[in-house]
Amino acid sequence: MKKGLKETSVKVILVGSLVGMGTSTYMPATEAAEGTSVILEEAQTVNSLSKLEIEGIALDQKFTEDVHDYSSTVGNDVEKITLLAASPNENAAIYVNGVKMTDGKLKDLTLQTGMNTFVITVSDGENETVTYTLKVEKHESDDNLLTSIGLSKGSLTFDSKVTAYHASVENEVQSVTVTPTLSDSKAIVKVNGKDATSAGVKVTIPVGKTTVKITVTAENGDEKIYTLTITRAAAAAKETESKAAPKEDEVQKAPSTGTSKAQTSSGKGNKSSLSSAESSDKGSKTSLTSAESSNNQKPSSGVSEVTNAQQIESISAQKVKTDSVEKVTSADSLGKEGNN
């Protein structure tokens, strides 16, 4: 009896132990399976980015899924950028400033000078939308150059490396319109302090040298100054001399009566008159000789005889006048010698 009771007691204890062991080992296995199932479900419902880039341009920091704010800086010459992005949620759509990204890329995003903000959203339509922010700063232009300087009168040869120029105009030119052309339309140009438009700025040019100041201010405030010296010619020298000098006709019209009387009353005048008379006498004799020589030749016609006769009469008359002058001159000379 006692032996049977002992065996029964041992069997009951073993069964209880086995049941307890089975229960203890089964429960932890069930809890682990349930925990694993919950984690997988959460990973599938998160909207996020796994990639964010500006094509060809670096971000201020390396991209990570948990960091949602990024920035970058570009030069003024960069007009547009392309964004690249991806999400681990295959059902999520990516938008940039409300525009849906296709195949993980969005091209031709225009940049303005200064700060440009891009808001990137990730959404699958069921779970919470996740937002990332990208700020791209575009520097202001430092271009303060001209491409040409136009003049309404005169000319110059422009060189982008040269800031000092010279031009010349005729005396008739009283003003010149100066028209500078900008390299960058965002810059500002002034001529002698006046805003220059496409029509240019009119500058008054007095005789001599006039300095024109052209100031170009870039978008970022940097200034460059060009100087233009315009020389206006003086009035022509010939015109000035012709106004001051007397005309030749006026000189020739000067009276000579007084001078003739003075010469007649002086000794020099007598000698001059005598010399003139002698010259006339010689001329008369020469003419007479020529006439006599012509007379010795035989006339070929009646016309020749008449002509010779007229010549002889003319010569005789001249001789008479010459003799009269000689007599008067001699008388004057003798009178003066007697008085001496």
Side-chain angles (χ1 to χ4, degrees):
M1 265 311 274
K2 291 182 180 180
K3 184 177 181 180
L5 291 172
K6 288 181 180 179
E7 290 178 358
T8 302
S9 300
V10 171
K11 289 179 180 180
V12 172
I13 293 170
L14 288 174
V15 172
S17 299
L18 290 172
V19 172
M21 291 176 62
T23 302
S24 63
T25 56
Y26 174 77
M27 291 302 294
T30 302
E31 292 176 358
E34 289 180 354
T36 303
S37 177
V38 171
I39 293 172
L40 291 175
E41 187 176 355
E42 289 179 356
Q44 291 176 352
T45 59
V46 172
N47 291 316
S48 63
L49 290 180
S50 59
K51 172 184 176 181
L52 178 61
E53 298 177 2
I54 302 176
E55 190 172 59
I57 300 172
L59 299 178
D60 64 325
Q61 58 183 309
K62 185 178 179 180
F63 176 80
T64 59
E65 186 176 348
D66 296 332
V67 177
H68 290 229
D69 294 303
Y70 298 89
S71 65
S72 183
T73 303
V74 297
N76 183 261
D77 57 332
V78 179
E79 299 294 334
K80 299 178 180 181
I81 61 172
T82 297
L83 286 185
L84 306 175
S87 173
N89 185 355
E90 295 180 355
N91 298 322
I94 303 172
Y95 297 85
V96 179
N97 289 351
V99 179
K100 187 176 181 180
M101 185 175 285
T102 303
D103 297 329
K105 180 182 291 188
L106 189 59
K107 297 180 179 180
D108 298 332
L109 294 171
T110 304
L111 296 179
Q112 302 295 330
T113 301
M115 190 64 72
N116 299 265
T117 302
F118 300 95
V119 178
I120 304 152
T121 57
V122 185
S123 175
D124 61 1
E126 295 180 0
N127 298 285
E128 183 181 359
T129 299
V130 176
T131 301
Y132 293 81
T133 302
L134 172 62
K135 293 184 178 181
V136 180
E137 183 180 7
K138 178 179 178 179
H139 289 309
E140 292 182 331
S141 174
D142 60 353
D143 189 345
N144 53 15
L145 300 176
L146 293 178
T147 57
S148 67
I149 299 176
L151 302 177
S152 60
K153 298 292 183 180
S155 61
L156 57 83
T157 301
F158 186 82
D159 185 340
S160 60
K161 298 178 181 178
V162 178
T163 56
Y165 296 90
H166 294 79
S168 299
V169 295
E170 300 296 331
N171 177 259
E172 293 78 10
V173 179
Q174 298 181 355
S175 65
V176 174
T177 299
V178 181
T179 309
T181 303
L182 290 167
S183 171
D184 184 357
S185 61
K186 295 185 289 293
I188 298 173
V189 59
K190 293 185 178 183
V191 176
N192 285 349
K194 297 180 180 179
D195 290 333
T197 64
S198 58
V201 176
K202 187 176 181 180
V203 179
T204 302
I205 308 297
V207 174
K209 293 184 177 181
T210 300
T211 301
V212 180
K213 182 179 178 182
I214 304 173
T215 305
V216 183
T217 305
E219 186 182 29
N220 68 350
D222 291 349
E223 287 189 356
K224 182 180 288 293
I225 296 175
Y226 294 80
T227 56
L228 170 62
T229 302
I230 302 177
T231 302
R232 177 183 172 187
K238 292 183 179 179
E239 294 181 1
T240 304
E241 292 177 358
S242 63
K243 292 179 181 179
K247 296 181 180 179
E248 294 181 358
D249 294 342
E250 295 177 355
V251 176
Q252 292 177 355
K253 290 180 181 179
S256 57
T257 305
T259 304
S260 299
K261 291 180 179 180
Q263 289 178 348
T264 304
S265 62
S266 64
K268 292 182 180 180
N270 292 335
K271 292 180 181 180
S272 176
S273 299
L274 182 61
S275 298
S276 299
E278 291 177 353
S279 298
S280 300
D281 185 35
K282 290 181 181 180
S284 299
K285 291 179 180 180
T286 302
S287 300
L288 181 62
T289 304
S290 299
E292 291 175 351
S293 176
S294 299
N295 192 32
N296 290 334
Q297 295 179 355
K298 294 180 178 182
S300 58
S301 64
V303 176
S304 299
E305 292 177 357
V306 173
T307 302
N308 290 336
Q310 292 177 348
Q311 290 178 350
I312 292 172
E313 290 178 1
S314 176
I315 292 169
S316 298
Q318 291 177 359
K319 186 175 182 182
V320 171
K321 291 180 180 180
T322 303
D323 292 341
S324 298
V325 171
E326 288 178 349
K327 289 178 181 181
V328 172
T329 304
S330 299
D332 291 340
S333 299
L334 290 173
K336 287 182 180 183
E337 288 177 359
N339 291 331
N340 293 334

